Amino acid sequence: MHETTTLLVEVGALLFLLGLLGRLSRRIGLSPIPLYLLAGLAFGHGGIVELNASEEFFAVGAEIGVILLLVMLGLEYSATELVGNLRASAPAGLIDALLNALPGAAFALLLGWGWVSAVVLAGITWISSSGVIAKILADLGRLGNRETPVVLSVLVIEDLAMAFYLPLVTALLAGVGVAKGGIGLGIAVVTVIAVLVVAVRYGKQISRFMSADDAEALLLGVLGLTLLVAGIAAKLQVSAAVGAFLVGIALSGPVAHHATELLTPLRDLFAAVFFVFFGLVTDPRGIPPVLLPALLLAFVTMGTKTLTGYLAARRAGIAEPGRWRAGLALVPRGEFSIVIAGLAVAAGGVDPQLAALATAYVLITVVTGPMLARLPDLGWFKQWLRSRARAQRAQRAPVADRA
């Protein structure tokens, strides 16, 4: 009885604190992710006050948080939209992967962490935060801008790549070797393609099994199906997160719309729990030794991510200001970087410093990202762009004209 009482007190106090932090983040115009991570660091191992009774609760909640993040991601896209985006944005996605995954992998190898940690850190530096970026675009009134579809297409490609990347990482972390890891990846590829084909052809029929008219039945049905498929996927070494993502893809129409509305509060709750749990299991005393490497890695990959958006927007025929807006908007990393790091920490087999580095890295990018995204709207930046455009026109003009 005493343990239950302690659990209720710790969970209640921490959730109440998260509510206050979420409100504070909206007041100051930042994502709540860094504040949730800091709360976890403060009350975890090596923190100000250690909360031991609630750790198991937050561990289970963190698992559910990852699953809900991925199923909600799947609900945002229809299979047809994903296939269309894949065809149109494949070159931008390839550039994105090369420019942003390779620095993370190289950094891990330079630190002597081994190739498994290199694959994990490559994913952490590669994937931008869809949630943070969507909020930035909305806050800055850019949802209708010409460059916004370019930004969204890059994010969609990254989200789809997660369906193939996570099973590979899961297999590598399990220590099954390259051959079995390749088999696991092959199974994931076949599964994703099969689900996309079924969703394109029979999506409406699948959605008919779920009634959009009964909110309670829809919530229980979608949540139950998601957890069931995620569990089966985990048993098959495909990744629970990928299973959840595929459930979201398979649902469409009114069912997907109403399911999104019903699951959003649950996702917000358990996503917050997930970020707190990652902070709880990360010793804050490990952050100072990796702070300088995290700053260096953030500086490099913020530059490569900006270049990614700039090149993708230029390929789409967007003017110079829009190219910079697209590039700088893609800078923040967040939920999925922590998901990847969380999988690695839970499975073991990576350098113990990786969790601290990932935490510091995400904190840096998610705080500075929204500030950098505002640069193209500042007067001095616009003046610099105009001067740059005049210089380019002068270089292109014939010598006689310049004389």
Side-chain angles (χ1 to χ4, degrees):
M1 182 67 181
H2 174 70
E3 290 183 1
T4 303
T5 303
T6 305
L7 174 65
L8 291 174
V9 170
E10 288 187 3
V11 171
L14 201 46
L15 290 179
F16 181 72
L17 174 63
L18 295 183
L20 295 178
L21 292 177
R23 186 177 180 183
L24 174 63
S25 70
R26 284 188 290 275
R27 287 280 184 90
I28 61 180
L30 284 178
S31 165
I33 292 174
L35 298 183
Y36 294 159
L37 287 172
L38 290 173
L41 290 171
F43 297 104
H45 303 297
I48 301 171
V49 178
E50 288 193 28
L51 302 181
N52 298 315
S54 57
E55 185 171 328
E56 187 174 347
F57 169 86
F58 279 96
V60 176
E63 292 281 346
I64 297 174
V66 173
I67 290 170
L68 288 175
L69 280 169
L70 269 293
V71 72
M72 292 289 289
L73 183 64
L75 287 170
E76 290 180 12
Y77 310 114
S78 69
T80 305
E81 289 172 337
L82 273 179
V83 172
N85 273 293
L86 182 60
R87 290 173 178 169
S89 306
L94 180 60
I95 292 172
D96 182 30
L98 292 174
L99 288 179
N100 297 288
L102 291 180
F107 205 80
L109 293 175
L110 286 173
L111 291 174
W113 287 359
W115 64 276
V116 175
S117 293
V119 174
V120 172
L121 194 56
I124 291 171
T125 58
W126 174 16
I127 306 296
S128 294
S129 172
S130 301
V132 174
I133 292 170
K135 188 176 186 304
I136 289 172
L137 294 176
D139 290 346
L140 297 179
R142 295 181 184 171
L143 292 176
N145 284 19
R146 285 194 63 209
E147 75 275 359
T148 297
V150 175
V151 174
L152 297 179
S153 66
V154 171
L155 295 177
V156 170
I157 292 292
E158 290 181 353
D159 295 339
L160 185 57
M162 287 283 286
F164 304 108
Y165 172 82
L166 288 176
L168 177 62
V169 169
T170 302
L172 293 177
L173 291 171
V176 299
V178 177
K180 289 187 177 180
I183 293 173
L185 178 60
I187 293 172
V189 170
V190 172
T191 303
V192 171
I193 293 174
V195 170
L196 288 175
V197 171
V198 170
V200 169
R201 294 188 176 182
Y202 307 107
K204 292 182 179 178
Q205 290 86 333
I206 294 172
S207 297
R208 285 174 187 166
F209 286 102
M210 302 286 180
S211 173
D213 299 327
D214 189 335
E216 181 180 349
L218 179 62
L219 174 62
L220 294 173
V222 173
L223 183 58
L225 179 63
T226 301
L227 294 175
L228 175 63
V229 173
I232 294 173
K235 288 285 186 183
L236 297 174
Q237 298 295 319
V238 174
S239 167
V242 172
F245 178 73
L246 296 177
V247 170
I249 292 295
L251 299 177
S252 60
V255 167
H257 175 72
H258 289 292
T260 300
E261 292 180 341
L262 293 171
L263 289 174
T264 296
L266 282 177
R267 181 209 49 195
D268 293 343
L269 168 63
F270 285 104
V273 168
F274 167 73
F275 293 123
V276 169
F277 177 71
F278 187 80
L280 288 173
V281 298
T282 303
D283 192 336
R285 292 170 294 189
I287 291 181
V290 298
L291 187 57
L292 186 59
L295 283 167
L296 178 60
L297 183 61
F299 177 78
V300 171
T301 55
M302 284 192 292
T304 55
K305 187 63 82 167
T306 301
L307 180 60
T308 297
Y310 185 95
L311 294 176
R314 187 176 70 177
R315 183 175 177 272
I318 307 298
E320 184 87 357
R323 297 174 195 174
W324 285 101
R325 286 194 294 267
L328 293 169
L330 287 168
V331 163
R333 274 68 157 189
E335 60 271 23
F336 291 119
S337 296
I338 297 298
V339 167
I340 295 166
L343 290 174
V345 171
V350 295
D351 192 280
Q353 289 186 306
L354 189 140
L357 178 68
T359 302
Y361 175 77
V362 169
L363 285 171
I364 293 167
T365 60
V366 85
V367 170
T368 58
M371 294 186 242
L372 292 174
R374 297 176 186 272
L375 284 181
D377 297 331
L378 299 179
W380 66 266
F381 196 92
K382 293 179 179 178
Q383 181 61 38
W384 175 74
L385 288 178
R386 284 193 288 267
S387 301
R388 177 182 163 92
R390 284 195 296 268
Q392 290 175 343
R393 285 195 297 269
Q395 288 178 351
R396 289 194 297 266
V399 176
D401 291 347
R402 281 182 279 172

